[in-house]
Amino acid sequence: MKDIAGKTFKIVIAGSGPAGLTAALYAARADLEPIVFEGPEPGGQLTTTTDVENFPGYPEGVLGPKMMDDFRQQAQRFGADTRWGVVTNIDFSKRPYKVEIDEETEIYAEAVIASTGAEAKWLGIESEQRMRGKGVTACATCDGAFFRDQEVIVIGGGDSAMEEATFLTKFASKVTIVHRRDEFRASKIMQKRALDNPKIDVIWNSTLHEVLGDEAVDGVVLENTKTGEKTTLENVKGVFLAIGHKPNTELFEGVLDMDDEGYIITKGKSTYTNVPGVFACGDAQDKIYRQAVTAAGTGCMAAIDAERWLAEQEDSEEVPAESAK
Ligand code: NAP
């Protein structure tokens, strides 16, 4: 990153999911020469998914990583500079804002687009954390193939749980969905797809109490949420969490207005935040729709908002001396 140290950019984009890369595309086409720091998960959450069937323009569906490569290449084609790197700090006290990359390189940004996305939630129990990466995971796409001909459980009752359970049947001998209530919140079509699959079972009104094992998962203990009764499933070798996501907005804590779950609050129908020149888009500010296509839409909005805001700043700097009196 030495080549950019100390340089001022019109637009710095933090995050490279559909929101960040669409913002980069629009900003690049507006000749704003944006720079994108791709974050800890370049391409965002879609790089951990398989087929994307609901993004318009791909009638046969597309693999998530392939789609994000397409997004990146399209932004690059118009001059967006996309780099592996994480925005580790931003000094919002004066403009241009000082942006720190990977805790070492400092650059300056006239405008910032926050598109840092969201990440999987964890239950937070001790054995889950201890066994992360040893059979406990929040990414079926990444880790499903390790559980060929083995039994796994999926925790959750939303669309992600249905999708992950269905996907895991490609590998696992049996998939049990463990849900804390007696009905799913997932869409009817996703529920049906999962429930119709002969390899999928459901255990209702239950949560994960403990993951057994040391170096690898060797069973789980479930707890009934109604009776408190504990049941051990000895054959389970993989635990997949699918209990929702939290926004990656720690970077903006105490500066940008957020709701109580940490989603950045934007003004009205715009992507303006409470800080001038800072715009938010994608899953970092949207807890309702959270789709690739809506993230891309708000990324486009953020670039247009930033472009207009930058033009307004230039106009106000160019006020002729006469009228400034
Ligand atoms: P979600 O809809 O928020 O569902 C989370 C599930 O996890 C809920 O069933 C919830 O239970 C359960 N849960 C949450 N915290 C828990 C805890 N501490 N212990 C046990 N269970 C817990 O999240 P999601 O499934 O990730 O979906 C997020 C959004 O993405 C949704 O809008 C969804 O439609 C969308 N999505 C779409 C697709 C698709 O269309 N292909 C695929 C995946 C996701 P309760 O129901 O009891 O609250």
Side-chain angles (χ1 to χ4, degrees), residues 45 49 51-54 121-124 155-164 178-187 189-190 193 206-208 225 241-245 283 287-291:
Q45 293 176 81
T49 196
D51 292 327
V52 179
E53 293 176 336
N54 53 9
K121 276 188 192 165
W122 297 86
L123 293 169
I155 316 279
D159 282 338
S160 296
M162 302 304 120
E163 188 174 63
E164 304 228 329
V178 177
H179 183 40
R180 64 182 175 183
R181 293 189 291 134
D182 60 1
E183 62 177 350
F184 290 137
R185 75 168 56 230
S187 57
I189 185 168
M190 305 279 282
R193 203 177 284 172
S206 294
T207 54
L208 181 65
T225 50
L241 276 296
I243 59 167
H245 291 81
D283 286 12
K287 66 174 174 192
I288 299 172
Y289 303 104
R290 293 188 289 197
Q291 301 300 301

Side-chain angles (χ1 to χ4, degrees), residues 228-249:
E229 189 190 337
K230 304 212 174 44
T231 313
T232 301
L233 305 183
E234 285 169 358
N235 296 330
V236 168
K237 302 297 176 202
V239 177
F240 290 81
L241 276 296
I243 59 167
H245 291 81
K246 70 174 186 58
N248 300 319
T249 52

Side-chain angles (χ1 to χ4, degrees), residues 196-211:
D196 284 352
N197 191 313
K199 276 189 174 180
I200 297 181
D201 267 358
V202 183
I203 297 183
W204 302 102
N205 299 316
S206 294
T207 54
L208 181 65
H209 176 72
E210 190 182 353
V211 182

Side-chain angles (χ1 to χ4, degrees), residues 13 40 80 92 94 122 174 227 230 249 257 275 297 310-311:
I13 300 173
F92 287 105
K94 66 173 196 280
W122 297 86
K174 180 177 171 190
T227 62
K230 304 212 174 44
T249 52
D257 286 347
V275 174
L310 286 165

Side-chain angles (χ1 to χ4, degrees), residues 249-265:
T249 52
E250 293 85 353
L251 181 64
F252 307 105
E253 259 168 25
V255 181
L256 298 188
D257 286 347
M258 293 179 192
D259 69 10
D260 48 13
E261 290 173 72
Y263 288 89
I264 299 169
I265 295 172

